[in-house]
Amino acid sequence: MEDETIMSNDNTIQFDQMVVHPHLIVLYPQNQFAQIPLERGTIVLGRGQDADIRFEDELVSRRHCALSFDGGSVTVEDLGSTNGTFVDGNFVHKQILDSDNRLQIGKMVLKVAYKDPSEEAFSRELYEAATKDPLTGILNRQAFAERSAGELVYARRNDTFINIVMIDIDNFKQVNDTWGHQCGDLVLKEIARLLSDEKRDSDLLARYGGEEFLLLMNGITPEDAKKRAEKLRSTIERHIFSWMDTRIPVTISLGISSRKGADVSQIADLIAESDKLLYVAKGNGKNQVVS
């Protein structure tokens, strides 16, 4: 028998006998994690003193967007913000939010969740599990897409370059075929660790799929981005990968796409460009950087 939905006369929704309340959950940055109950009516999110919920993020406008709860659903409406309001990476003017949506203003990633007040606090560990690649521990593809939207906003506002690096392990199929998939997994985890150690704290690193990784570097010139990419290539080439006391030869190829923020319509365009340049690197002999 399906649960019966009943509207109560306060700020709650009842599913049979369970009463749930809408909460605004701050997912990212992780050090600002919070869950904020939403009352019936409208609240303003922004950076200004007159905002109902304030966020200390330079990319958030003083009055950025409004959340309205009518007792049945929560709607977000952009208030003419400088850098826009995004839902699942798409600019919106006004949209109803469900529990699967990710709301982004500036670099903040938020969601609306309906919660039983007797439940335990929303777990950051659950969010991390949903955003990280289970093998390597770095961001997964979806989380990269969500967070890169904020990086694009930053690049547009500050008129800086945004650099996307597509990284592929050379001859990875041969590693799996020769030494087995356990060895391949070890190589993937070790490369993810090395890339994480070399990247800046502000860079975004994700496993894009299979043996491919994505790196976003914001606020540096294409020349500096290529130098950093070359350092990554050299680090992998010099590192000793071993399996069962056997050294495994491992190198990477990298393609870099760089553009000023104002010239980028969406991150997917830069990813596609970097992917094409990666194939050029592969065709030219591998173990190299092409920009």
Side-chain angles (χ1 to χ4, degrees):
M1 179 177 178
E2 293 184 357
D3 288 343
E4 180 181 2
T5 304
I6 306 171
M7 293 304 305
S8 68
N9 58 5
D10 57 7
N11 298 317
T12 66
I13 300 176
Q14 293 181 342
F15 295 93
D16 261 349
Q17 301 303 313
M18 182 181 73
V19 180
V20 294
H21 300 256
H23 285 66
L24 179 67
I25 311 295
V26 180
L27 298 173
Y28 181 83
Q30 293 170 2
N31 63 358
Q32 296 188 42
F33 170 81
Q35 50 181 3
I36 305 162
L38 299 177
E39 305 294 335
R40 188 189 294 265
T42 300
I43 59 171
V44 172
L45 279 58
R47 186 166 46 88
Q49 294 287 346
D50 57 342
D52 299 300
I53 299 177
R54 294 185 61 210
F55 295 116
E56 295 297 331
D57 181 335
E58 65 175 352
L59 299 180
V60 173
S61 295
R62 297 181 64 82
R63 292 173 57 86
H64 196 104
C65 65
L67 291 180
S68 300
F69 176 49
D70 62 6
S73 61
V74 176
T75 300
V76 62
E77 181 176 2
D78 185 74
L79 298 178
S81 65
T82 301
N83 295 308
T85 298
F86 297 83
V87 174
D88 299 331
N90 300 308
F91 172 78
V92 298
H93 175 65
K94 189 174 185 178
Q95 179 174 319
I96 293 176
L97 299 173
D98 63 39
S99 296
D100 293 328
N101 293 141
R102 294 292 184 268
L103 170 64
Q104 185 157 8
I105 61 174
K107 290 190 176 183
M108 310 291 298
V109 180
L110 314 104
K111 69 170 288 186
V112 170
Y114 289 92
K115 298 169 56 61
D116 180 342
S118 66
E119 291 177 355
E120 294 181 2
F122 187 91
S123 171
R124 277 183 288 184
E125 288 75 17
L126 289 179
Y127 175 66
E128 289 211 4
T131 58
K132 290 190 175 180
D133 174 63
L135 177 65
T136 62
I138 61 176
L139 293 178
N140 61 28
R141 187 169 177 169
Q142 178 60 36
F144 181 92
E146 291 173 357
R147 296 186 190 177
S148 61
E151 297 298 326
L152 179 54
V153 168
Y154 176 89
R156 286 173 176 166
R157 177 171 180 174
N158 293 279
D159 193 32
T160 58
F161 279 98
I162 189 164
N163 308 278
I164 294 286
V165 187
M166 181 74 80
I167 304 165
D168 184 81
I169 305 174
D170 297 327
N171 306 314
F172 186 69
K173 183 178 184 301
Q174 183 178 333
V175 172
N176 281 329
D177 291 346
T178 304
W179 291 282
H181 287 276
Q182 282 186 312
C183 175
D185 287 350
L186 179 145
V187 169
L188 285 167
K189 289 189 286 188
E190 190 68 356
I191 286 182
R193 183 188 68 80
L194 292 168
L195 296 177
S196 296
D197 288 346
E198 290 291 337
K199 78 176 185 66
R200 302 175 303 168
D201 290 342
S202 58
D203 295 339
L204 295 181
L205 174 67
R207 186 180 178 193
Y208 193 63
E211 65 270 26
E212 289 185 327
F213 298 85
L214 270 179
L215 177 66
L216 184 153
M217 295 182 286
N218 213 345
I220 60 175
T221 65
E223 293 76 19
D224 286 339
K226 188 169 184 178
K227 289 177 183 177
R228 296 191 66 84
E230 177 58 34
K231 185 179 180 183
L232 294 176
R233 185 206 62 76
S234 176
T235 296
I236 301 302
E237 182 182 40
R238 290 184 287 104
H239 186 74
I240 297 175
F241 295 83
S242 63
W243 176 256
M244 305 291 286
D245 296 324
T246 301
R247 182 166 181 171
I248 312 298
V250 178
T251 60
I252 57 174
S253 297
L254 307 92
I256 310 177
S257 179
S258 303
R259 282 198 240 166
K260 282 284 187 74
D263 299 327
V264 181
S265 59
Q266 54 184 355
I267 292 294
D269 295 338
L270 282 176
I271 293 175
E273 284 183 7
S274 63
D275 192 43
K276 290 178 181 178
L277 292 167
L278 170 65
Y279 275 94
V280 173
K282 292 283 191 180
N284 288 346
K286 305 177 182 177
N287 190 24
Q288 60 186 269
V289 178
V290 172
S291 60

